[in-house]
Amino acid sequence: MLDTIPVQVLGCLRPGIITVIAFPGAGMLDGGLLMELPTEIIPVELRMPNSEFIVVCNRQSGEFTQVLPKDLSK
């Protein structure tokens, strides 16, 4: 089973890792949470702070399998 998670880039706080806010707009208290994604799975044009995209995650393994631009996920 695959889950799609909307995210917004916070920044690159560690080498090789992009920190994102999952479920942006919900707020940190209302469901938003910090996630760390490997830089290599995120296309260069989506790595800038405040960029928004969709992360596809395998629910069983917990692995991030794909990154989709926000406008293509609809």
Short mmCIF file of all heavy atoms in Angstrom, two decimals:
data_model
loop_
_atom_site.label_atom_id
_atom_site.label_comp_id
_atom_site.label_asym_id
_atom_site.label_seq_id
_atom_site.Cartn_x
_atom_site.Cartn_y
_atom_site.Cartn_z
N MET A 1 0.84 -1.17 0.00
CA MET A 1 0.00 0.00 0.00
C MET A 1 0.89 1.24 0.00
O MET A 1 1.84 1.33 0.75
CB MET A 1 -0.90 -0.05 1.23
CG MET A 1 -1.56 1.23 1.60
SD MET A 1 -3.14 1.76 1.04
CE MET A 1 -4.28 0.65 0.67
N LEU A 2 0.56 2.20 -0.85
CA LEU A 2 1.34 3.43 -0.96
C LEU A 2 0.55 4.60 -0.41
O LEU A 2 -0.66 4.71 -0.60
CB LEU A 2 1.69 3.70 -2.42
CG LEU A 2 2.56 2.65 -3.11
CD1 LEU A 2 2.74 3.01 -4.57
CD2 LEU A 2 3.90 2.51 -2.43
N ASP A 3 1.24 5.48 0.30
CA ASP A 3 0.65 6.71 0.82
C ASP A 3 1.27 7.89 0.10
O ASP A 3 2.45 7.87 -0.23
CB ASP A 3 0.93 6.87 2.32
CG ASP A 3 0.17 5.87 3.17
OD1 ASP A 3 -0.96 5.53 2.82
OD2 ASP A 3 0.73 5.45 4.20
N THR A 4 0.46 8.92 -0.15
CA THR A 4 0.99 10.16 -0.71
C THR A 4 0.94 11.21 0.39
O THR A 4 -0.08 11.39 1.05
CB THR A 4 0.18 10.63 -1.93
OG1 THR A 4 -1.18 10.76 -1.57
CG2 THR A 4 0.32 9.64 -3.08
N ILE A 5 2.06 11.88 0.59
CA ILE A 5 2.20 12.84 1.68
C ILE A 5 2.60 14.19 1.09
O ILE A 5 3.68 14.32 0.49
CB ILE A 5 3.28 12.38 2.68
CG1 ILE A 5 2.95 10.99 3.21
CG2 ILE A 5 3.44 13.38 3.81
CD1 ILE A 5 4.09 10.35 3.98
N PRO A 6 1.75 15.21 1.23
CA PRO A 6 2.16 16.55 0.77
C PRO A 6 3.21 17.12 1.72
O PRO A 6 3.09 16.98 2.94
CB PRO A 6 0.86 17.35 0.82
CG PRO A 6 0.00 16.66 1.82
CD PRO A 6 0.40 15.20 1.78
N VAL A 7 4.25 17.72 1.16
CA VAL A 7 5.32 18.28 1.99
C VAL A 7 5.73 19.65 1.47
O VAL A 7 5.46 20.01 0.32
CB VAL A 7 6.56 17.36 2.04
CG1 VAL A 7 6.23 16.01 2.62
CG2 VAL A 7 7.21 17.22 0.69
N GLN A 8 6.40 20.41 2.35
CA GLN A 8 6.98 21.70 2.00
C GLN A 8 8.41 21.72 2.54
O GLN A 8 8.64 21.35 3.70
CB GLN A 8 6.16 22.83 2.62
CG GLN A 8 6.67 24.21 2.25
CD GLN A 8 5.78 25.30 2.83
OE1 GLN A 8 5.10 25.10 3.83
NE2 GLN A 8 5.79 26.44 2.19
N VAL A 9 9.35 22.14 1.70
CA VAL A 9 10.76 22.14 2.09
C VAL A 9 11.03 23.20 3.14
O VAL A 9 10.66 24.37 2.98
CB VAL A 9 11.68 22.36 0.87
CG1 VAL A 9 13.14 22.49 1.28
CG2 VAL A 9 11.52 21.23 -0.13
N LEU A 10 11.66 22.79 4.22
CA LEU A 10 12.12 23.72 5.26
C LEU A 10 13.53 24.17 4.92
O LEU A 10 13.84 25.34 4.95
CB LEU A 10 12.09 23.04 6.63
CG LEU A 10 12.52 23.88 7.82
CD1 LEU A 10 11.61 25.09 7.98
CD2 LEU A 10 12.50 23.04 9.08
N GLY A 11 14.40 23.23 4.59
CA GLY A 11 15.77 23.56 4.22
C GLY A 11 16.68 22.36 4.32
O GLY A 11 16.27 21.27 4.66
N CYS A 12 17.94 22.59 4.00
CA CYS A 12 18.96 21.56 4.09
C CYS A 12 19.73 21.82 5.39
O CYS A 12 20.60 22.69 5.43
CB CYS A 12 19.88 21.60 2.88
SG CYS A 12 21.13 20.32 2.88
N LEU A 13 19.36 21.10 6.43
CA LEU A 13 19.97 21.34 7.73
C LEU A 13 21.17 20.44 7.99
O LEU A 13 21.95 20.68 8.90
CB LEU A 13 18.92 21.15 8.84
CG LEU A 13 17.66 22.01 8.67
CD1 LEU A 13 16.67 21.71 9.78
CD2 LEU A 13 18.00 23.48 8.65
N ARG A 14 21.29 19.35 7.20
CA ARG A 14 22.44 18.44 7.30
C ARG A 14 22.83 18.03 5.88
O ARG A 14 21.97 17.91 5.02
CB ARG A 14 22.07 17.18 8.09
CG ARG A 14 21.76 17.44 9.53
CD ARG A 14 21.53 16.18 10.31
NE ARG A 14 20.98 15.09 9.50
CZ ARG A 14 20.60 13.94 9.98
NH1 ARG A 14 20.70 13.68 11.26
NH2 ARG A 14 20.11 13.01 9.21
N PRO A 15 24.12 17.79 5.64
CA PRO A 15 24.53 17.37 4.30
C PRO A 15 23.81 16.09 3.87
O PRO A 15 23.72 15.14 4.63
CB PRO A 15 26.04 17.13 4.45
CG PRO A 15 26.44 17.92 5.65
CD PRO A 15 25.25 17.93 6.56
N GLY A 16 23.28 16.09 2.64
CA GLY A 16 22.64 14.91 2.08
C GLY A 16 21.21 14.69 2.54
O GLY A 16 20.57 13.73 2.14
N ILE A 17 20.68 15.60 3.35
CA ILE A 17 19.34 15.46 3.89
C ILE A 17 18.57 16.76 3.69
O ILE A 17 19.07 17.84 3.98
CB ILE A 17 19.37 15.15 5.41
CG1 ILE A 17 20.13 13.87 5.70
CG2 ILE A 17 17.97 15.11 6.00
CD1 ILE A 17 19.44 12.61 5.24
N ILE A 18 17.35 16.66 3.17
CA ILE A 18 16.46 17.81 3.06
C ILE A 18 15.38 17.65 4.13
O ILE A 18 14.72 16.61 4.20
CB ILE A 18 15.81 17.89 1.66
CG1 ILE A 18 16.86 18.00 0.56
CG2 ILE A 18 14.78 19.03 1.60
CD1 ILE A 18 17.52 19.33 0.42
N THR A 19 15.21 18.66 4.96
CA THR A 19 14.18 18.63 5.99
C THR A 19 12.91 19.26 5.44
O THR A 19 12.96 20.35 4.86
CB THR A 19 14.64 19.39 7.25
OG1 THR A 19 15.87 18.81 7.70
CG2 THR A 19 13.61 19.30 8.36
N VAL A 20 11.80 18.56 5.56
CA VAL A 20 10.52 19.02 5.04
C VAL A 20 9.46 18.99 6.15
O VAL A 20 9.61 18.28 7.14
CB VAL A 20 10.04 18.17 3.84
CG1 VAL A 20 11.01 18.24 2.69
CG2 VAL A 20 9.79 16.72 4.24
N ILE A 21 8.42 19.76 5.95
CA ILE A 21 7.26 19.73 6.83
C ILE A 21 6.18 18.93 6.12
O ILE A 21 5.75 19.32 5.02
CB ILE A 21 6.75 21.14 7.16
CG1 ILE A 21 7.84 21.95 7.84
CG2 ILE A 21 5.48 21.07 8.01
CD1 ILE A 21 7.50 23.41 8.00
N ALA A 22 5.77 17.81 6.70
CA ALA A 22 4.70 17.01 6.12
C ALA A 22 3.37 17.63 6.50
O ALA A 22 3.20 18.14 7.60
CB ALA A 22 4.79 15.58 6.64
N PHE A 23 2.44 17.59 5.57
CA PHE A 23 1.10 18.15 5.76
C PHE A 23 1.17 19.64 6.12
O PHE A 23 0.66 20.07 7.14
CB PHE A 23 0.32 17.37 6.83
CG PHE A 23 0.28 15.90 6.57
CD1 PHE A 23 1.06 15.04 7.34
CD2 PHE A 23 -0.49 15.38 5.56
CE1 PHE A 23 1.06 13.68 7.09
CE2 PHE A 23 -0.51 14.02 5.31
CZ PHE A 23 0.26 13.16 6.07
N PRO A 24 1.84 20.46 5.26
CA PRO A 24 1.95 21.89 5.56
C PRO A 24 0.58 22.55 5.60
O PRO A 24 -0.35 22.10 4.94
CB PRO A 24 2.79 22.43 4.39
CG PRO A 24 2.53 21.49 3.28
CD PRO A 24 2.35 20.14 3.93
N GLY A 25 0.48 23.58 6.38
CA GLY A 25 -0.79 24.28 6.52
C GLY A 25 -1.61 23.76 7.67
O GLY A 25 -2.49 24.43 8.18
N ALA A 26 -1.33 22.53 8.11
CA ALA A 26 -2.04 21.96 9.24
C ALA A 26 -1.44 22.47 10.54
O ALA A 26 -2.06 22.42 11.57
CB ALA A 26 -1.99 20.44 9.20
N GLY A 27 -0.21 22.97 10.46
CA GLY A 27 0.47 23.45 11.67
C GLY A 27 1.13 22.30 12.40
O GLY A 27 0.72 21.16 12.29
N MET A 28 2.16 22.60 13.12
CA MET A 28 2.89 21.57 13.83
C MET A 28 2.04 20.93 14.93
O MET A 28 2.20 19.76 15.24
CB MET A 28 4.19 22.13 14.43
CG MET A 28 5.15 22.67 13.39
SD MET A 28 5.65 21.47 12.18
CE MET A 28 6.97 20.71 13.06
N LEU A 29 1.13 21.68 15.51
CA LEU A 29 0.29 21.12 16.56
C LEU A 29 -0.91 20.35 16.01
O LEU A 29 -1.47 19.51 16.68
CB LEU A 29 -0.21 22.24 17.49
CG LEU A 29 0.88 22.96 18.27
CD1 LEU A 29 0.27 24.10 19.06
CD2 LEU A 29 1.61 22.02 19.18
N ASP A 30 -1.31 20.66 14.79
CA ASP A 30 -2.50 20.05 14.22
C ASP A 30 -2.19 18.98 13.17
O ASP A 30 -2.98 18.75 12.27
CB ASP A 30 -3.39 21.12 13.59
CG ASP A 30 -3.93 22.08 14.61
OD1 ASP A 30 -4.13 21.66 15.76
OD2 ASP A 30 -4.13 23.25 14.27
N GLY A 31 -1.04 18.36 13.23
CA GLY A 31 -0.76 17.27 12.30
C GLY A 31 0.49 17.43 11.47
O GLY A 31 0.99 16.47 10.94
N GLY A 32 1.00 18.66 11.32
CA GLY A 32 2.23 18.84 10.57
C GLY A 32 3.39 18.23 11.35
O GLY A 32 3.41 18.24 12.58
N LEU A 33 4.36 17.65 10.64
CA LEU A 33 5.51 17.08 11.33
C LEU A 33 6.74 17.19 10.46
O LEU A 33 6.65 17.29 9.25
CB LEU A 33 5.26 15.63 11.73
CG LEU A 33 4.95 14.65 10.60
CD1 LEU A 33 6.12 13.73 10.37
CD2 LEU A 33 3.73 13.86 10.98
N LEU A 34 7.90 17.20 11.10
CA LEU A 34 9.15 17.28 10.37
C LEU A 34 9.55 15.90 9.88
O LEU A 34 9.41 14.91 10.60
CB LEU A 34 10.27 17.84 11.25
CG LEU A 34 10.15 19.30 11.66
CD1 LEU A 34 11.32 19.69 12.55
CD2 LEU A 34 10.09 20.20 10.45
N MET A 35 10.02 15.84 8.64
CA MET A 35 10.54 14.61 8.05
C MET A 35 11.88 14.95 7.40
O MET A 35 12.08 16.07 6.95
CB MET A 35 9.59 14.07 6.98
CG MET A 35 8.26 13.61 7.48
SD MET A 35 7.09 13.17 6.16
CE MET A 35 8.03 12.10 5.11
N GLU A 36 12.76 13.97 7.35
CA GLU A 36 14.03 14.14 6.65
C GLU A 36 14.05 13.19 5.46
O GLU A 36 13.79 12.00 5.60
CB GLU A 36 15.19 13.87 7.59
CG GLU A 36 15.29 14.90 8.70
CD GLU A 36 16.49 14.67 9.60
OE1 GLU A 36 16.95 13.52 9.71
OE2 GLU A 36 16.95 15.66 10.19
N LEU A 37 14.36 13.75 4.29
CA LEU A 37 14.40 12.97 3.06
C LEU A 37 15.81 13.02 2.48
O LEU A 37 16.48 14.06 2.55
CB LEU A 37 13.43 13.55 2.03
CG LEU A 37 11.97 13.64 2.43
CD1 LEU A 37 11.18 14.38 1.36
CD2 LEU A 37 11.40 12.26 2.65
N PRO A 38 16.26 11.91 1.89
CA PRO A 38 17.58 11.94 1.23
C PRO A 38 17.54 12.90 0.04
O PRO A 38 16.59 12.90 -0.74
CB PRO A 38 17.79 10.50 0.76
CG PRO A 38 16.64 9.71 1.24
CD PRO A 38 15.62 10.62 1.82
N THR A 39 18.55 13.73 -0.06
CA THR A 39 18.60 14.73 -1.12
C THR A 39 18.49 14.11 -2.51
O THR A 39 17.83 14.68 -3.39
CB THR A 39 19.92 15.53 -1.01
OG1 THR A 39 19.97 16.12 0.28
CG2 THR A 39 20.01 16.62 -2.05
N GLU A 40 19.07 12.94 -2.71
CA GLU A 40 19.11 12.37 -4.06
C GLU A 40 17.75 11.97 -4.62
O GLU A 40 17.59 11.84 -5.83
CB GLU A 40 20.07 11.17 -4.13
CG GLU A 40 19.66 9.98 -3.29
CD GLU A 40 20.27 9.98 -1.91
OE1 GLU A 40 20.95 10.94 -1.51
OE2 GLU A 40 20.04 8.99 -1.20
N ILE A 41 16.72 11.81 -3.79
CA ILE A 41 15.41 11.45 -4.33
C ILE A 41 14.59 12.68 -4.73
O ILE A 41 13.56 12.55 -5.39
CB ILE A 41 14.57 10.57 -3.37
CG1 ILE A 41 14.08 11.35 -2.16
CG2 ILE A 41 15.31 9.32 -2.97
CD1 ILE A 41 12.99 10.64 -1.39
N ILE A 42 15.07 13.87 -4.37
CA ILE A 42 14.34 15.10 -4.66
C ILE A 42 14.97 15.79 -5.87
O ILE A 42 16.17 16.09 -5.85
CB ILE A 42 14.36 16.05 -3.45
CG1 ILE A 42 13.77 15.34 -2.23
CG2 ILE A 42 13.59 17.32 -3.75
CD1 ILE A 42 13.92 16.10 -0.93
N PRO A 43 14.18 16.05 -6.92
CA PRO A 43 14.73 16.76 -8.08
C PRO A 43 15.29 18.13 -7.67
O PRO A 43 14.79 18.77 -6.74
CB PRO A 43 13.52 16.93 -9.00
CG PRO A 43 12.56 15.87 -8.58
CD PRO A 43 12.79 15.68 -7.10
N VAL A 44 16.32 18.57 -8.35
CA VAL A 44 17.02 19.82 -8.01
C VAL A 44 16.05 21.00 -7.94
O VAL A 44 16.15 21.83 -7.04
CB VAL A 44 18.15 20.10 -9.03
CG1 VAL A 44 18.78 21.46 -8.80
CG2 VAL A 44 19.20 19.01 -8.97
N GLU A 45 15.09 21.07 -8.85
CA GLU A 45 14.19 22.22 -8.89
C GLU A 45 13.21 22.26 -7.71
O GLU A 45 12.54 23.26 -7.49
CB GLU A 45 13.41 22.27 -10.22
CG GLU A 45 12.50 21.11 -10.46
CD GLU A 45 13.17 19.91 -11.14
OE1 GLU A 45 14.41 19.89 -11.26
OE2 GLU A 45 12.44 19.00 -11.54
N LEU A 46 13.12 21.18 -6.94
CA LEU A 46 12.22 21.13 -5.79
C LEU A 46 12.94 21.22 -4.44
O LEU A 46 12.32 21.07 -3.39
CB LEU A 46 11.39 19.84 -5.83
CG LEU A 46 10.43 19.69 -6.99
CD1 LEU A 46 9.75 18.34 -6.95
CD2 LEU A 46 9.41 20.81 -7.00
N ARG A 47 14.23 21.49 -4.45
CA ARG A 47 15.01 21.51 -3.20
C ARG A 47 15.05 22.86 -2.49
O ARG A 47 15.54 22.95 -1.38
CB ARG A 47 16.45 21.07 -3.49
CG ARG A 47 16.54 19.64 -3.94
CD ARG A 47 17.97 19.26 -4.22
NE ARG A 47 18.03 17.92 -4.80
CZ ARG A 47 19.13 17.37 -5.26
NH1 ARG A 47 20.28 18.03 -5.18
NH2 ARG A 47 19.09 16.16 -5.77
N MET A 48 14.54 23.89 -3.10
CA MET A 48 14.58 25.23 -2.49
C MET A 48 13.58 25.34 -1.35
O MET A 48 12.53 24.71 -1.38
CB MET A 48 14.27 26.30 -3.55
CG MET A 48 15.32 26.41 -4.63
SD MET A 48 16.94 26.86 -4.02
CE MET A 48 16.64 28.47 -3.40
N PRO A 49 13.89 26.14 -0.31
CA PRO A 49 12.94 26.34 0.79
C PRO A 49 11.58 26.79 0.27
O PRO A 49 11.49 27.55 -0.69
CB PRO A 49 13.60 27.43 1.64
CG PRO A 49 15.06 27.25 1.38
CD PRO A 49 15.15 26.85 -0.07
N ASN A 50 10.54 26.30 0.90
CA ASN A 50 9.14 26.57 0.58
C ASN A 50 8.62 25.85 -0.67
O ASN A 50 7.46 26.01 -1.01
CB ASN A 50 8.84 28.07 0.47
CG ASN A 50 9.08 28.77 1.78
OD1 ASN A 50 8.75 28.26 2.84
ND2 ASN A 50 9.69 29.95 1.72
N SER A 51 9.47 25.07 -1.35
CA SER A 51 8.97 24.26 -2.47
C SER A 51 8.00 23.23 -1.92
O SER A 51 8.20 22.68 -0.83
CB SER A 51 10.12 23.54 -3.17
OG SER A 51 10.99 24.45 -3.78
N GLU A 52 6.95 22.97 -2.68
CA GLU A 52 5.96 21.98 -2.26
C GLU A 52 5.90 20.85 -3.27
O GLU A 52 5.97 21.08 -4.48
CB GLU A 52 4.59 22.64 -2.10
CG GLU A 52 4.55 23.66 -0.99
CD GLU A 52 3.17 24.26 -0.79
OE1 GLU A 52 2.26 23.98 -1.58
OE2 GLU A 52 3.01 25.01 0.18
N PHE A 53 5.78 19.63 -2.78
CA PHE A 53 5.66 18.46 -3.65
C PHE A 53 5.03 17.33 -2.86
O PHE A 53 4.69 17.47 -1.69
CB PHE A 53 7.02 18.05 -4.25
CG PHE A 53 8.12 17.86 -3.24
CD1 PHE A 53 8.35 16.62 -2.66
CD2 PHE A 53 8.95 18.92 -2.89
CE1 PHE A 53 9.38 16.43 -1.74
CE2 PHE A 53 9.99 18.74 -1.98
CZ PHE A 53 10.20 17.51 -1.41
N ILE A 54 4.83 16.21 -3.53
CA ILE A 54 4.21 15.04 -2.93
C ILE A 54 5.26 13.93 -2.82
O ILE A 54 5.98 13.66 -3.77
CB ILE A 54 3.03 14.53 -3.80
CG1 ILE A 54 1.99 15.62 -4.02
CG2 ILE A 54 2.40 13.27 -3.21
CD1 ILE A 54 1.28 16.09 -2.79
N VAL A 55 5.33 13.31 -1.65
CA VAL A 55 6.23 12.17 -1.44
C VAL A 55 5.37 10.91 -1.40
O VAL A 55 4.37 10.87 -0.69
CB VAL A 55 7.01 12.32 -0.11
CG1 VAL A 55 7.84 11.09 0.17
CG2 VAL A 55 7.89 13.54 -0.15
N VAL A 56 5.77 9.92 -2.18
CA VAL A 56 5.09 8.63 -2.15
C VAL A 56 5.88 7.71 -1.24
O VAL A 56 7.09 7.55 -1.40
CB VAL A 56 4.97 8.03 -3.58
CG1 VAL A 56 4.27 6.69 -3.53
CG2 VAL A 56 4.25 9.00 -4.51
N CYS A 57 5.19 7.13 -0.26
CA CYS A 57 5.83 6.30 0.75
C CYS A 57 5.18 4.93 0.78
O CYS A 57 3.96 4.81 0.75
CB CYS A 57 5.69 6.99 2.11
SG CYS A 57 6.43 6.11 3.47
N ASN A 58 6.01 3.88 0.85
CA ASN A 58 5.50 2.52 1.00
C ASN A 58 5.14 2.33 2.47
O ASN A 58 6.00 2.42 3.34
CB ASN A 58 6.57 1.51 0.57
CG ASN A 58 6.08 0.09 0.64
OD1 ASN A 58 5.36 -0.30 1.55
ND2 ASN A 58 6.49 -0.69 -0.34
N ARG A 59 3.87 2.09 2.74
CA ARG A 59 3.40 2.00 4.12
C ARG A 59 4.03 0.84 4.88
O ARG A 59 4.33 0.95 6.06
CB ARG A 59 1.88 1.84 4.13
CG ARG A 59 1.29 1.93 5.52
CD ARG A 59 -0.20 1.75 5.53
NE ARG A 59 -0.85 2.89 4.89
CZ ARG A 59 -2.16 3.00 4.80
NH1 ARG A 59 -2.94 2.07 5.26
NH2 ARG A 59 -2.68 4.06 4.21
N GLN A 60 4.26 -0.28 4.21
CA GLN A 60 4.82 -1.46 4.90
C GLN A 60 6.28 -1.30 5.24
O GLN A 60 6.72 -1.60 6.35
CB GLN A 60 4.59 -2.71 4.07
CG GLN A 60 3.13 -3.10 3.99
CD GLN A 60 2.93 -4.34 3.15
OE1 GLN A 60 3.77 -4.71 2.33
NE2 GLN A 60 1.80 -5.00 3.35
N SER A 61 7.08 -0.84 4.28
CA SER A 61 8.52 -0.74 4.51
C SER A 61 8.94 0.61 5.09
O SER A 61 10.02 0.73 5.65
CB SER A 61 9.28 -0.98 3.21
OG SER A 61 9.07 0.09 2.30
N GLY A 62 8.10 1.63 4.92
CA GLY A 62 8.45 2.96 5.39
C GLY A 62 9.41 3.70 4.47
O GLY A 62 9.86 4.78 4.78
N GLU A 63 9.71 3.12 3.29
CA GLU A 63 10.64 3.74 2.35
C GLU A 63 9.93 4.76 1.48
O GLU A 63 8.78 4.58 1.10
CB GLU A 63 11.27 2.68 1.46
CG GLU A 63 12.20 1.75 2.17
CD GLU A 63 12.84 0.75 1.23
OE1 GLU A 63 12.86 0.99 0.00
OE2 GLU A 63 13.32 -0.27 1.73
N PHE A 64 10.65 5.85 1.18
CA PHE A 64 10.15 6.84 0.25
C PHE A 64 10.48 6.34 -1.15
O PHE A 64 11.63 6.13 -1.48
CB PHE A 64 10.80 8.20 0.52
CG PHE A 64 10.59 8.67 1.93
CD1 PHE A 64 11.65 8.76 2.82
CD2 PHE A 64 9.33 9.02 2.37
CE1 PHE A 64 11.46 9.18 4.12
CE2 PHE A 64 9.12 9.45 3.67
CZ PHE A 64 10.18 9.54 4.54
N THR A 65 9.46 6.16 -1.97
CA THR A 65 9.67 5.54 -3.27
C THR A 65 9.70 6.52 -4.42
O THR A 65 10.31 6.24 -5.45
CB THR A 65 8.59 4.49 -3.56
OG1 THR A 65 7.31 5.12 -3.54
CG2 THR A 65 8.62 3.38 -2.54
N GLN A 66 9.05 7.70 -4.26
CA GLN A 66 8.93 8.60 -5.38
C GLN A 66 8.61 10.01 -4.89
O GLN A 66 8.00 10.18 -3.84
CB GLN A 66 7.81 8.11 -6.30
CG GLN A 66 7.71 8.77 -7.63
CD GLN A 66 6.61 8.13 -8.48
OE1 GLN A 66 5.80 7.35 -7.99
NE2 GLN A 66 6.60 8.45 -9.74
N VAL A 67 9.01 11.00 -5.68
CA VAL A 67 8.66 12.40 -5.42
C VAL A 67 7.93 12.90 -6.65
O VAL A 67 8.41 12.74 -7.77
CB VAL A 67 9.92 13.25 -5.14
CG1 VAL A 67 9.58 14.71 -5.12
CG2 VAL A 67 10.57 12.82 -3.84
N LEU A 68 6.76 13.50 -6.44
CA LEU A 68 5.95 14.03 -7.53
C LEU A 68 5.77 15.53 -7.36
O LEU A 68 5.53 15.99 -6.23
CB LEU A 68 4.57 13.37 -7.55
CG LEU A 68 4.51 11.86 -7.63
CD1 LEU A 68 3.09 11.38 -7.40
CD2 LEU A 68 5.02 11.39 -8.97
N PRO A 69 5.83 16.30 -8.45
CA PRO A 69 5.50 17.72 -8.32
C PRO A 69 4.05 17.86 -7.83
O PRO A 69 3.21 17.03 -8.14
CB PRO A 69 5.65 18.26 -9.75
CG PRO A 69 6.53 17.27 -10.43
CD PRO A 69 6.25 15.95 -9.80
N LYS A 70 3.78 18.90 -7.09
CA LYS A 70 2.47 19.09 -6.49
C LYS A 70 1.36 19.15 -7.54
O LYS A 70 0.29 18.57 -7.36
CB LYS A 70 2.46 20.36 -5.66
CG LYS A 70 1.20 20.57 -4.87
CD LYS A 70 1.30 21.78 -3.99
CE LYS A 70 0.03 21.97 -3.20
NZ LYS A 70 0.12 23.15 -2.35
N ASP A 71 1.59 19.79 -8.68
CA ASP A 71 0.56 19.94 -9.70
C ASP A 71 0.26 18.65 -10.46
O ASP A 71 -0.80 18.50 -11.04
CB ASP A 71 0.91 21.06 -10.67
CG ASP A 71 2.25 20.86 -11.34
OD1 ASP A 71 3.05 20.03 -10.86
OD2 ASP A 71 2.53 21.56 -12.33
N LEU A 72 1.16 17.66 -10.46
CA LEU A 72 0.92 16.40 -11.15
C LEU A 72 0.21 15.37 -10.28
O LEU A 72 -0.22 14.34 -10.77
CB LEU A 72 2.25 15.78 -11.62
CG LEU A 72 2.97 16.53 -12.73
CD1 LEU A 72 4.26 15.80 -13.08
CD2 LEU A 72 2.10 16.66 -13.96
N SER A 73 0.06 15.64 -9.01
CA SER A 73 -0.50 14.65 -8.10
C SER A 73 -2.03 14.63 -8.10
O SER A 73 -2.64 13.79 -7.50
CB SER A 73 -0.01 14.92 -6.68
OG SER A 73 -0.48 16.18 -6.25
N LYS A 74 -2.66 15.58 -8.77
CA LYS A 74 -4.12 15.67 -8.75
C LYS A 74 -4.74 14.77 -9.78
O LYS A 74 -4.25 14.40 -10.74
CB LYS A 74 -4.56 17.12 -8.98
CG LYS A 74 -4.09 18.01 -7.85
CD LYS A 74 -4.49 19.42 -8.09
CE LYS A 74 -3.95 20.29 -6.97
NZ LYS A 74 -4.20 21.67 -7.13
#
